[in-house]
Amino acid sequence: MDARQLKVEAARAALAHVGSGMRLGIGTGTTAEEFVRLLAEKVATGLEVVGVPTSERTAALCRELGVPLSTLEETPELDLTIDGADEVDPDLTLIKGGGGALLREKIVAAASDRVIVIADRSKMVETLGRFPLPIEVNKFGLRATEIAVAAAAADLGLSGPVTLRMTGSQPFVTDGGHFILDASFGRIPDTRALSNALFAIPGVVEHGLFIGLASTAIIASGDGIQTVHAARKPGSSIDHDVA
Ligand SMILES: O=C[C@H](O)[C@H](O)[C@H](O)COP(=O)(O)O
């Protein structure tokens, strides 16, 4: 099975969790787009859902394929979000933002009762950090923010290039009008500590570490589909088991 087919299989398995009447968060990226295509087929045959897209790119695909859309203003509480990821660790902490949509993705995920991550097996890692961590930053004070990010990482024993994401000769600009720094720190043993350190920097708008947001990961490989549920945290209502 090639990489695209694995994405389709993960998306298909996630679609089984979608029921009529649901308010859906709809992710961004090539895997989420396979989900949108399958969802659109179901909508065409009568499934009634409303989707809140996590990017202009996803919104355009939904419109093209006839998936009914809402906004988070109109529909601030969602039943389920389905999204891809750049990396997934065994606790279902994620790195996201390879497509630049991390800010809206995190807002939508946080507004959802459940978040299902869909990915092929290559995205599973023991420790996050092989994929450069996307950090969305305000355009103002870019250089100062770059220096502060590197210093915050160094305090945690992390180091590596922090580069401004480009599109051709121009900086990449997110849907929110910000820039993205891609931080190649290597393995991140303490994601919570790095998250806190980054949020202490005023120029940081959001970062791509998704901690405690994913409830389930649906992972496709040549051996089939693996479904992993997030471990129960004190006070949480999330189920915990590994299937
Ligand atoms: O900003 C983009 C998102 O976080 C994507 O969900 C992530 O980059 C995974 O994308 P793909 O499914 O294309 O690998």
Side-chain angles (χ1 to χ4, degrees), residues 7 28-32 83-86 96-102 105 123:
K7 293 175 189 184
T28 294
T30 55
T31 316
D83 201 350
D86 298 300
K96 287 183 54 55
L102 64 150
E105 287 177 332
K123 306 284 185 70

Side-chain angles (χ1 to χ4, degrees), residues 132 159-163 182-185:
S159 63
V162 177
T163 58
D182 288 305
S184 299
F185 294 144

Side-chain angles (χ1 to χ4, degrees), residues 207-220:
H207 59 69
L209 289 169
F210 281 48
I211 303 171
L213 285 169
S215 19
T216 301
I218 294 178
I219 306 296

Side-chain angles (χ1 to χ4, degrees), residues 19 21-25 75 77-81 111-115:
M22 276 190 174
R23 303 159 298 177
L24 288 181
T75 313
E77 294 178 316
L78 304 174
D79 300 299
L80 172 66
T81 285
S112 303
D113 283 347
R114 286 189 300 146
V115 175

Side-chain angles (χ1 to χ4, degrees), residues 7-8 10-11 28-36 84-85 118-120 123:
K7 293 175 189 184
V8 172
T28 294
T30 55
T31 316
E33 284 168 9
E34 298 301 345
F35 172 75
V36 172
I118 50 177
D120 66 78
K123 306 284 185 70

